[in-house]
Amino acid sequence: QVQLVESGGGLVQPGGSLRLSCAASRIIFGIYALNWYRQAPGKQRELVAAITSGGSTNYTDSVKGRFTISRDNAKNTVYLQMNSLKPEDTAVYYCNAKWTTALRKYDYWGQGTQVTVSS
């Protein structure tokens, strides 16, 4: 079965950096659009960053200029480099892979990794 496994979360001080990784298995990684979502306590899950199969990226306004999404198709891994972290970035971060065909939508999620920004 398909697996997405996140790593790299943790506790960091405001202004610090973290790099999240998400390793995928049992999918044709290169054709999927890849996304990072986050969910803070009491809030809805929100899309933070996205990268298409062609490498185009998009970010939610609150992280533009601070976060960078990238993918390494040879390693079946997507990354989220997070710089200048703020307390409001505290959330569980989820990796997501999507591929839509004419007949079916493929949508896979990781288990999430906690990011806590606090002094």
Side-chain angles (χ1 to χ4, degrees):
Q1 78 198 48
V2 174
Q3 280 191 317
L4 299 178
V5 180
E6 299 104 333
S7 61
L11 173 64
V12 64
Q13 291 187 340
S17 298
L18 283 175
R19 188 175 84 152
L20 305 183
S21 300
C22 173
S25 60
R26 300 186 180 88
I27 62 172
I28 306 172
F29 188 78
I31 65 175
Y32 278 76
L34 304 168
N35 309 291
W36 284 98
Y37 286 78
R38 68 185 179 188
Q39 188 167 20
K43 294 188 176 181
Q44 287 191 327
R45 190 172 296 190
E46 67 167 338
L47 177 62
V48 174
I51 185 166
T52 68
S53 58
S56 297
T57 59
N58 199 16
Y59 301 90
T60 192
D61 285 346
S62 63
V63 308
K64 284 180 180 176
R66 300 189 297 122
F67 290 11
T68 303
I69 188 171
S70 61
R71 63 190 296 161
D72 185 336
N73 291 340
K75 295 183 178 179
N76 282 12
T77 301
V78 59
Y79 304 97
L80 185 67
Q81 178 67 44
M82 304 186 294
N83 299 328
S84 302
L85 282 161
K86 304 175 181 180
E88 51 263 44
D89 295 318
T90 296
V92 178
Y93 284 71
Y94 297 91
C95 172
N96 168 254
K98 285 189 174 69
W99 180 46
T100 300
T101 72
L103 298 176
R104 181 178 168 181
K105 183 178 292 186
Y106 298 82
D107 191 3
Y108 302 109
W109 291 85
Q111 81 288 351
T113 186
Q114 176 70 46
V115 171
T116 303
V117 185
S118 175
S119 55

